[in-house]
């Protein structure tokens, strides 16, 4: 079984400041991990994903995430926040096998607010 | 190319009525997923299809919920005898194959049960 915990339901930063959104996962097999972003009244858009190989993953809009197996973490970062980054962010892990192989398990989401 | 589309975008219905939600996946994607997003429960998996078969229906909350997929393309999620707790945004996603391919999401259908 898989699970995802996102620490902090709300994160507030100033424009230009570092963005750090935390995600910890539990998986019985090597995980595939995803970050999605959701803007108001829209569906989910993929920011980045980790499958295998390089542990630092770069995504769209200047975001990146680092897979740390020893810490079971996949935190999302961006060096400098823009007003347009304000949205809700979801971390997800892919199913481990059998009939649940493709199913995504999501964290509860983190709402990012960016102040001028 | 075109993304995942869903219709209607909004649906308001009365308690006890049946509703049908439609999903058109990205052309060529063999896997299709339904999720539900609600304030209390977050994002929950409902069901997925590989072709026209549904190997995993474990997320359907009750027997009032059913889904089908025809021709390996369009899918319909049906909720019978709707209840107020069914109010949520229903999201559809598709991917090239089942497994761990990236899932691309549609804009969702917001269902409100009065």
């Amino acid at each position: 079984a898989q699970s995802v915990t996102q620490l902090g339901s709300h994160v507030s930063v100033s424009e230009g400041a570092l963005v750090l959104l935390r995600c910890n996962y539990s998986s019985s097999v090597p995980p595939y991990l995803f970050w999605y972003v959701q803007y108001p009244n829209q569906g989910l858009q993929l920011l980045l994903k980790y499958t295998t190989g390089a542990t630092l993953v770069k995504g769209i809009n200047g975001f990146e995430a680092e897979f740390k197996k020893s810490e079971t973490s996949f935190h999302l970062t961006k060096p400098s926040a823009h007003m347009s980054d304000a949205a809700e962010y979801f971390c997800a892990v892919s199913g481990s096998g059998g009939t649940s192989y493709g199913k995504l398990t999501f964290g509860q989401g983190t709402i990012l607010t960016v102040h001028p | 190319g075109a993304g995942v589309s869903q219709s209607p975008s909004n649906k308001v219905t009365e308690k006890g009525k049946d509703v049908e939600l439609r999903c058109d996946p990205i052309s060529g994607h063999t896997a299709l997923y339904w999720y539900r997003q609600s304030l209390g429960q977050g994002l929950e998996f409902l069901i997925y299809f590989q072709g026209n078969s549904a190997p995993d229906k474990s997320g359907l909350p009750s027997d009032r919920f059913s889904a089908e997929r025809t021709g390996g393309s369009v899918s319909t999620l049906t909720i019978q005898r709707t209840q107020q707790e069914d109010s949520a945004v229903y999201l559809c996603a598709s991917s090239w194959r089942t497994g761990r391919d990236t899932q691309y999401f549609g804009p969702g259908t917001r269902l409100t049960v009065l």
Side-chain angles (χ1 to χ4, degrees):
Chain A
Q2 296 75 235
S3 66
V4 176
T5 302
Q6 290 183 239
L7 300 176
S9 58
H10 290 80
V11 170
S12 181
V13 300
S14 298
E15 192 173 19
L18 171 72
V19 176
L20 171 60
L21 305 182
R22 299 178 187 273
C23 172
N24 288 88
Y25 70 90
S26 171
S27 177
S28 56
V29 297
Y32 279 29
L33 295 159
F34 304 81
W35 276 99
Y36 284 88
V37 60
Q38 186 176 36
Y39 298 100
N41 299 314
Q42 296 187 25
L44 300 172
Q45 180 183 4
L46 181 71
L47 277 177
L48 50 80
K49 70 176 183 179
Y50 169 78
T51 56
T52 59
T55 56
L56 183 62
V57 181
K58 294 187 183 299
I60 62 171
N61 301 337
F63 285 93
E64 62 183 37
E66 185 171 12
F67 170 66
K68 291 188 177 180
K69 183 179 178 180
S70 61
E71 299 177 8
T72 61
S73 70
F74 190 56
H75 301 333
L76 182 70
T77 61
K78 181 173 180 178
S80 177
H82 295 164
M83 297 295 290
S84 59
D85 294 326
E88 189 163 16
Y89 292 78
F90 293 92
C91 182
V93 63
S94 182
S96 59
T99 57
S100 69
Y101 200 36
K103 148 187 167 182
L104 289 175
T105 299
F106 288 90
Q108 288 299 305
T110 298
I111 296 173
L112 175 66
T113 302
V114 182
H115 297 287
Chain B
V4 177
S5 61
Q6 293 185 246
S7 60
S9 55
N10 281 283
K11 177 70 177 180
V12 180
T13 190
E14 294 179 349
K15 178 181 173 181
K17 301 280 191 180
D18 297 353
V19 296
E20 286 189 351
L21 312 180
R22 176 187 168 106
C23 173
D24 278 275
I26 293 171
S27 178
H29 280 192
T30 62
L32 185 148
Y33 307 80
W34 284 99
Y35 296 87
R36 180 169 73 172
Q37 185 174 26
S38 58
L39 281 176
Q41 301 299 322
L43 270 159
E44 306 171 277
F45 167 82
L46 297 178
I47 186 171
Y48 89 85
F49 291 89
Q50 174 57 47
N52 295 332
S53 301
D56 190 350
K57 306 179 184 180
S58 63
L60 293 178
S62 74
D63 59 8
R64 295 186 295 105
F65 287 72
S66 64
E68 66 174 11
R69 188 180 186 195
T70 55
S73 181
V74 171
S75 176
T76 302
L77 177 68
T78 300
I79 309 172
Q80 295 179 309
R81 306 181 302 282
T82 52
Q83 304 295 311
Q84 287 185 333
E85 61 262 29
D86 300 334
S87 295
V89 176
Y90 290 81
L91 292 166
C92 176
S94 70
S95 66
W96 182 247
R97 303 162 301 181
T98 317
R100 294 170 153 189
D101 286 348
T102 298
Q103 296 181 27
Y104 296 90
F105 284 79
T109 293
R110 181 175 298 276
L111 175 65
T112 303
V113 182
L114 302 176

